[in-house]
Amino acid sequence: SWVLLTSLSWVNTWNVEQDHFMIDGEWLHLAARVSYMLTEDVELGAYIPFLGRTGGFTDGFIEDFHNTFGLGNARREGYPRNQSIVDIRSPEGQHARWEGDQWGLSDVSLFASWTLTQGGRFVPGIIVGGVATLPTGDKDKLLGSGKPVFGVSALLTKRIETTPWLLFLGTAASYSDNDEMVGIDTRK
């Protein structure tokens, strides 16, 4: 059977490390996850994300919220509101900067998962998976990585006796030979 899941998130990001980076903007992430159950235990699918980066409109609200509860604003007041800037500087002097809105397809992932066991009284449920992320997003607009990424994962789940509580333990690893992003060395 086919399964379609969608998600939408909107995040206001403000992060500054003097002489290293500045990230200011609002990020919209819209994704579709389409999968097909080959059997009861084997799933194949694709994850198709769209990403938007904009100056947005929530800076004033967030500043007021922080001020109301005495949380501080990390020097946010010293910069223009509702702007979209990503500015990165490496210790070697490399520099990349993006201003303004960016919208588009991000990197698409193809995945497979296999339920090895549903679990039982003493044995946990075990699911293993693999993923290949294709470089479909525009690297120059920070919408993608520019190279494929490969990953594997495992998830164990166990119900605590007859309670409604479940325990989860998961691990994942990924690999990409991407040694630079927008001209900045990522291996240092």
Side-chain angles (χ1 to χ4, degrees), residues 102-143:
Q102 298 292 332
W103 300 89
L105 179 67
S106 192
D107 290 347
V108 172
S109 298
L110 304 177
F111 63 87
S113 67
W114 180 23
T115 302
L116 299 177
T117 174
Q118 296 285 336
R121 182 174 168 105
F122 300 106
V123 178
I126 302 171
I127 301 171
V128 294
V131 63
T133 301
L134 309 175
T136 52
D138 187 335
K139 176 181 171 181
D140 295 330
K141 294 181 179 180
L142 291 183
L143 298 174

Side-chain angles (χ1 to χ4, degrees), residues 38-105:
L38 285 178
T39 69
E40 187 176 298
D41 298 323
V42 178
E43 176 187 32
L44 300 175
Y47 180 78
I48 307 161
F50 294 88
L51 185 63
R53 187 175 64 251
T54 179
F57 58 89
T58 62
D59 283 354
F61 170 77
I62 291 171
E63 288 173 23
D64 291 345
F65 178 87
H66 286 189
N67 289 335
T68 299
F69 293 99
L71 300 175
N73 277 308
R75 302 183 314 266
R76 186 188 287 249
E77 300 91 347
Y79 296 87
R81 286 186 176 172
N82 304 322
Q83 66 179 352
S84 175
I85 294 177
V86 176
D87 190 285
I88 303 168
R89 298 173 189 275
S90 75
E92 294 78 27
Q94 299 159 314
H95 181 238
R97 183 179 177 96
W98 297 262
E99 290 188 53
D101 296 358
Q102 298 292 332
W103 300 89
L105 179 67

